[in-house]
Amino acid sequence: MTGPEKAAAIARRKASGPPVTMLTAYDYPTARLFDAAGVDILLVGDSLGMVVLGYPDTTHVTMDQMLHHVAAVARAKPKALVIGDFSIGSYPDPATALANARRLIGAGAEAVKLEGGVRQADKVRTIVGAGIPVCGHLGMLPQRVLEEGGYRKKGKTPEQSAALLEGAQALVEAGVFAIVLESVVPATAEWISSQIAVPTIGIGSGGHTCDGEVSVATDLIGTFPWFVPPFAKPEANLAPQITAAAAAFCERVQRVPAPHLG
Ligand code: KIV
């Protein structure tokens, strides 16, 4: 299936189910392992900045870094749809957004994702018009974390909820095939999901409030123990096993002195 065909099949899940599954992946082995599990979408998210590159937030990530990791995931040739995230500042206007969408596709992405609602509609329309599927992202927008002074829940008031719905409708009208809802109050996430024609994919927005769910890979498998978001639902805790394996290696190598030391 082509990228647009995979994206269209995801969009149809709004009506048919089952819920859409999305996991982040940033490298070849993780992409292969997650794909073998049958996940629908592999997102090369700019969370890369924190959980792989060691930055404090996503605002340090560059397009070159995104391209490097999109290419690694694409080399796994997954059945899942590969979405490449735009890095911060890489989609300031429709022409630049399209040029950078083409770079992500050139690196192996089959669709792209950007943050924001009404103000992104023209960019989405331009990218979709060029045949590239676009996923939206509303609610808490990590690329705005410095302006907003932290990670806060969205959709707490009727005004905030109405603004989120307006953004979602603008994105749908512009042609997105799905929308990530991040850190949206569960009742609002459920309400928006009931109002729009494309699947919503929730993170930090309550369980079973959206048409699907996304997890950051390291939250799922427990390989980034230094920060685990409160909404994370780990299915494995690999960090201690990795440290134990490294310690076992050190112990095995150092147990016997090097031959010349007798
Ligand atoms: O970058 C990312 O991992 C994301 C998810 C949190 C949806 O955008």
Side-chain angles (χ1 to χ4, degrees):
M1 269 209 267
T2 65
E5 286 167 350
K6 290 184 192 178
I10 299 285
R12 286 195 294 274
R13 299 265 287 277
K14 180 82 184 183
S16 67
V20 178
T21 54
M22 182 196 273
L23 287 173
T24 66
Y26 317 98
D27 57 43
Y28 172 89
T30 311
R32 280 193 71 168
L33 293 168
F34 285 173
D35 198 49
V39 65
D40 295 312
I41 302 176
L42 293 174
L43 169 65
V44 188
D46 64 352
S47 50
L48 164 76
M50 289 168 293
V51 301
V52 175
L53 301 180
Y55 293 124
D57 54 56
T58 64
T59 67
H60 303 264
V61 177
T62 66
M63 270 302 285
D64 284 346
Q65 289 165 340
M66 291 308 307
L67 296 170
H68 182 74
H69 288 269
V70 164
V73 167
R75 272 181 220 114
K77 299 194 188 341
K79 285 203 201 68
L81 176 72
V82 176
I83 301 184
D85 233 351
F86 281 97
S87 61
I88 189 168
S90 67
Y91 47 110
D93 55 71
T96 311
L98 178 56
N100 278 322
R102 288 191 163 129
R103 292 175 75 200
L104 288 164
I105 297 294
E110 298 171 302
V112 297
K113 179 169 82 58
L114 47 68
E115 295 185 6
V118 174
R119 69 199 163 93
Q120 310 301 12
D122 283 348
K123 300 162 198 173
V124 171
R125 204 169 288 111
T126 300
I127 301 167
V128 172
I132 300 173
V134 180
C135 179
H137 185 153
L138 290 171
M140 169 58 212
L141 305 180
Q143 292 178 359
R144 300 187 60 133
V145 66
L146 299 180
E147 281 139 275
E148 298 198 359
Y151 297 92
R152 302 190 204 297
K153 278 267 180 237
K154 300 292 171 172
K156 283 182 172 167
T157 64
E159 293 73 26
Q160 278 182 14
S161 305
L164 280 174
L165 180 61
E166 189 192 3
Q169 284 169 333
L171 291 175
V172 173
E173 193 268 323
V176 296
F177 68 92
I179 301 177
V180 168
L181 292 182
E182 178 162 356
S183 292
V184 173
V185 168
T188 305
E190 197 168 344
W191 175 63
I192 291 171
S193 302
S194 73
Q195 298 296 307
I196 63 170
V198 302
T200 55
I201 303 177
I203 179 164
S205 299
H208 307 289
T209 56
C210 294
D211 302 294
E213 208 170 306
V214 50
S215 173
V216 171
T218 51
D219 294 344
L220 183 78
I221 62 176
T223 50
F224 196 85
W226 308 280
F227 175 72
V228 181
F231 54 77
K233 294 194 178 69
E235 299 290 352
N237 182 20
L238 300 186
Q241 293 184 46
I242 294 171
T243 302
F249 168 78
C250 295
E251 199 280 323
R252 172 170 58 75
V253 171
Q254 294 176 340
R255 195 184 311 142
V256 179
H260 71 278
L261 295 178

